[in-house]
Amino acid sequence: MKIIMMLAFATIWSVSSCAVLGQAAETDAAGALEHPLIQRYPGQTITWQEIDNYREFRVPVGPVTGYRKIDDWVEMTGLVTRTLYTYRGTDRTASEIFLNYKGALEAEGFELLASRFSEARNGREIGSGQWLDVYLRTNPWASGGEANTQKAGTAGSGGAGAIVATKDRAAGRVYVVVNLELHDVDYIGALIDIVEVAAAETGLVVVDAEAIGSGIFEEGRVVLDGIFFEFDSAKLKPESSEALRAVVEFMNDNPDLTFYVVGHTDSKGARSYNMSLSKARADAVAATLIADYSIAPERIEGHGVGPLAPVFTNTSDAGRERNRRVELVER
């Protein structure tokens, strides 16, 4: 996946029109590499970069509420890549570049947790000088250099803003924070922070009754984390018992609801075989709930859809792993 920036008049820039993803342009700071998640706005240069393989990070998603205080934060831990892009010139405005980043994130399916651009730098709203000050104080960088322009503020009017966006990927959730400002009449700075939250290790996350209810009542379906099968088999492993007990607890608390158990596979192998395996696994879960936990047969029914409803790409190991799942679906 890559995010491709678009000019305001809707010209789409391909990878070849600017720096190649994952490589440095000739004018970039020594050692800096473009993150493969985002392609720069045409004409931008990387003037500073800092990467932490593992660190705690906090992202504000609300306005300033007091002296150096913001109430609403999202906390995370993971790989943090911080890159300062600068645009030198007067032929583009800060608001134009801001809107291109926002549009590119939305086009790639990111959820916008916060987004605001203003011609004024003062105030307490998202993207304001006070907001950025709290954000940077909470998440300081170890090295100095060009990034310190973000702390200095803007030389005049022209605007500044921030975008906080997130997306769930097979490799784990990712957060993108874009802070953009007109620092000088011919200098637009964009500090882009990318936090890649590592996916949980397989087998460590088990769904509980509360999580099942949240998924069912909000989306009509929930992935039953903690359901495990023998390799290439529909035989349930003993460690599935905790997740099964959570399903039973939820069903007993909601006696008027009925459900499908739906099995899913990745796309490796023959489709007919995967369809059969996914159905057998769904039937095994339903049969166990009926035989071992006294769930009424008319309340639960197994179905298999094989590889037909992936949630991630099947071209990676992480994606295939997430596609192999069992869901509880409200009838």
Side-chain angles (χ1 to χ4, degrees), residues 166-177:
T166 185
K167 184 174 182 177
D168 192 23
R169 307 176 301 163
R173 182 162 287 273
V174 62
Y175 290 85
V176 176
V177 183

Side-chain angles (χ1 to χ4, degrees), residues 22-34:
Q23 297 184 3
E26 292 182 0
T27 54
D28 286 347
L33 293 176
E34 185 148 54

Side-chain angles (χ1 to χ4, degrees), residues 263-287:
H264 299 260
T265 68
D266 60 34
S267 63
K268 294 187 70 175
R271 184 173 67 86
S272 58
Y273 176 80
N274 285 328
M275 296 292 288
S276 176
L277 178 62
S278 64
K279 175 67 162 64
R281 287 181 167 180
D283 286 343
V285 173

Side-chain angles (χ1 to χ4, degrees), residues 147-228:
N148 288 331
T149 58
Q150 289 281 310
K151 301 177 181 179
T154 178
S157 62
I163 305 165
V164 180
T166 185
K167 184 174 182 177
D168 192 23
R169 307 176 301 163
R173 182 162 287 273
V174 62
Y175 290 85
V176 176
V177 183
V178 178
N179 288 292
L180 190 142
E181 69 165 9
L182 178 67
H183 182 67
D184 210 335
V185 290
D186 62 347
Y187 181 156
I188 300 172
L191 176 65
I192 300 180
D193 294 336
I194 299 174
V195 185
E196 298 170 83
V197 181
E201 294 181 42
T202 302
L204 298 184
V205 178
V206 177
V207 72
D208 58 21
E210 182 178 353
I212 292 174
S214 177
I216 291 295
F217 295 135
E218 292 180 12
E219 299 182 18
R221 53 177 283 275
V222 65
V223 176
L224 299 179
D225 292 313
I227 298 291
F228 306 105

Side-chain angles (χ1 to χ4, degrees), residues 6-11 41 92 96 100:
M6 295 175 288
L7 292 177
F9 47 85
T11 298
Y41 186 90
R92 301 295 176 199
E96 179 181 355
N100 274 273

